[in-house]
Amino acid sequence: MTITVTGASGKLGSLIVRQLLQKVEANDITLCVRDPKKALLYQEWDVDIRQIDYDSPESLQQAFTHTSRLLFISSPHMDDTVRIRQHSHVVEAAKKANVEHIIYTSFAFPEKSDISLTHLHLATEHAIRTTGIPYTFLRNALYADFIAQLGLGVATRTGELITYPGIDGFNSVTREDLALAAANILTNDGHKNQTYELTASRPWHFADLVQALTEITGAPITHREDSHADNWLYRFLSRIDTTSTTNDLETLIEKPTVSLYEAVRQILTDKREDNTRTKSSGLGSGFHIK
């Protein structure tokens, strides 16, 4: 069995590769990257590193040769019209290379959303189905990283988290949990022609977030809604399904997903480390975490 991973040097891809290296022999893994310099950390392992470009169908077909299971990580391009063309190239190349199984990173509950991103994923899923190649769709919920965009720094300084009214309830998950799920699917049988909605087992709310912030920082923090808090993030959240949940992810990783508390703690820790580095240059200030 040969496992091929596209986008192997990205945030999610690199986490999946680390999981795979613990489960299968390194020489059974092919890593596809656009910039080989970003895959230097894998040189000590006996993995096959191939350069690809989603805009170059020839590079894709060559890289996918002799692939049993292809993990197709969606394009990071910001223009969805470009992304759909790139995704078509990947799907066509997989068919020409006689890939035996495509595992695709999609988006959770796309039928319940109304943005170009979810239309893109539905179109890609359809294209994969039309090839006749067995598939597995990993419909990933919001990455927990988005919590960092909710003004946690201001909340810890002022004691108040301010959000836009009417948007509350989130099924977010960490990349680490998603990576483990993908690696388990890539290294085990029984997942052909399956669609998994990879979400937290229950949604969290802003009341839970301020409780976590209070416990982590040791300072009391409250939540208040304010219509003046509107920005692009809340407009985005209002057009996707952020609350529906399943147990698919916990079943696949065979353990509870990372809790909101741990996700927030990691975000604040990362922010503190970033600010510490900035402060050493004479700028910024860090968080206090108990």
Side-chain angles (χ1 to χ4, degrees):
M1 179 182 69
T2 301
I3 296 171
T4 299
V5 179
T6 72
S9 60
K11 289 183 178 180
L12 178 61
S14 60
L15 290 172
I16 293 171
V17 172
R18 291 173 193 171
Q19 290 288 345
L20 287 174
L21 289 170
Q22 299 177 39
K23 298 175 181 295
V24 297
E25 295 296 327
N27 58 15
D28 290 331
I29 304 173
T30 297
L31 307 184
C32 296
V33 296
R34 184 170 184 175
D35 182 359
K37 293 179 181 178
K38 294 183 178 180
L40 293 178
L41 71 162
Y42 300 122
Q43 284 188 340
E44 62 182 283
W45 302 88
D46 186 22
V47 295
D48 185 7
I49 300 175
R50 301 181 183 179
Q51 185 173 14
I52 66 167
D53 188 331
Y54 283 172
D55 290 312
S56 172
E58 297 78 11
S59 72
L60 296 167
Q61 184 177 343
Q62 184 176 5
F64 297 165
T65 302
H66 306 305
T67 294
S68 302
R69 294 174 182 173
L70 170 66
L71 176 64
F72 170 19
I73 295 180
S74 58
S75 166
H77 202 285
M78 298 301 293
D79 186 335
D80 286 334
T81 58
V82 174
R83 294 175 78 188
I84 192 61
R85 182 175 67 247
Q86 292 176 330
H87 286 192
S88 295
H89 291 162
V90 175
V91 174
E92 291 169 5
K95 185 174 183 178
K96 291 179 179 178
N98 296 314
V99 168
E100 298 174 18
H101 184 181
I102 299 175
I103 295 90
Y104 171 65
T105 59
S106 188
F107 193 80
F109 304 108
E111 299 92 346
K112 299 181 180 180
S113 304
D114 184 26
I115 57 174
S116 62
L117 173 68
T118 52
H119 300 324
L120 162 79
H121 287 299
L122 286 171
T124 304
E125 289 181 7
H126 175 72
I128 292 172
R129 286 193 182 95
T130 62
T131 65
I133 300 172
Y135 63 85
T136 306
F137 297 145
L138 307 182
R139 290 180 165 182
N140 298 339
L142 283 170
Y143 295 146
D145 306 35
F146 97 93
I147 299 171
Q149 306 301 317
L150 295 173
L152 303 191
V154 174
T156 57
R157 290 194 299 272
T158 64
E160 188 175 51
L161 177 71
I162 302 175
T163 67
Y164 190 74
I167 300 175
D168 198 0
F170 305 96
N171 53 14
S172 62
V173 289
T174 64
R175 282 187 175 88
E176 287 77 9
D177 281 341
L178 294 173
L180 178 56
N184 285 346
I185 287 174
L186 286 164
T187 55
N188 291 282
D189 296 328
H191 300 288
K192 288 183 178 179
N193 300 328
Q194 297 295 316
T195 298
Y196 297 112
E197 306 286 354
L198 302 182
T199 72
S201 58
R202 67 178 185 86
W204 58 265
H205 300 272
F206 285 127
D208 303 309
L209 178 56
V210 294
Q211 180 180 349
L213 284 171
T214 296
E215 293 176 0
I216 293 168
T217 65
I221 298 172
T222 59
H223 171 233
R224 176 170 64 86
E225 293 185 338
D226 186 337
S227 59
H228 293 98
D230 187 26
N231 60 39
W232 72 268
L233 177 59
Y234 293 112
R235 289 190 291 274
F236 170 76
L237 294 173
S238 68
R239 297 179 64 188
I240 63 174
D241 183 349
T242 64
T243 58
S244 295
T245 61
T246 73
N247 292 319
D248 289 353
L249 184 53
E250 288 195 347
T251 299
L252 289 168
I253 65 177
E254 300 180 328
K255 64 178 182 178
T257 56
V258 172
S259 67
L260 173 65
Y261 178 93
E262 288 303 325
V264 172
R265 182 176 178 83
Q266 186 59 55
I267 290 170
L268 293 182
T269 298
D270 292 343
K271 184 65 174 178
R272 180 184 60 179
E273 292 173 351
D274 289 344
N275 284 341
T276 297
R277 286 191 291 270
T278 302
K279 191 174 182 180
S280 67
S281 301
L283 299 170
S285 60
F287 291 97
H288 171 69
I289 302 176
K290 293 196 297 182

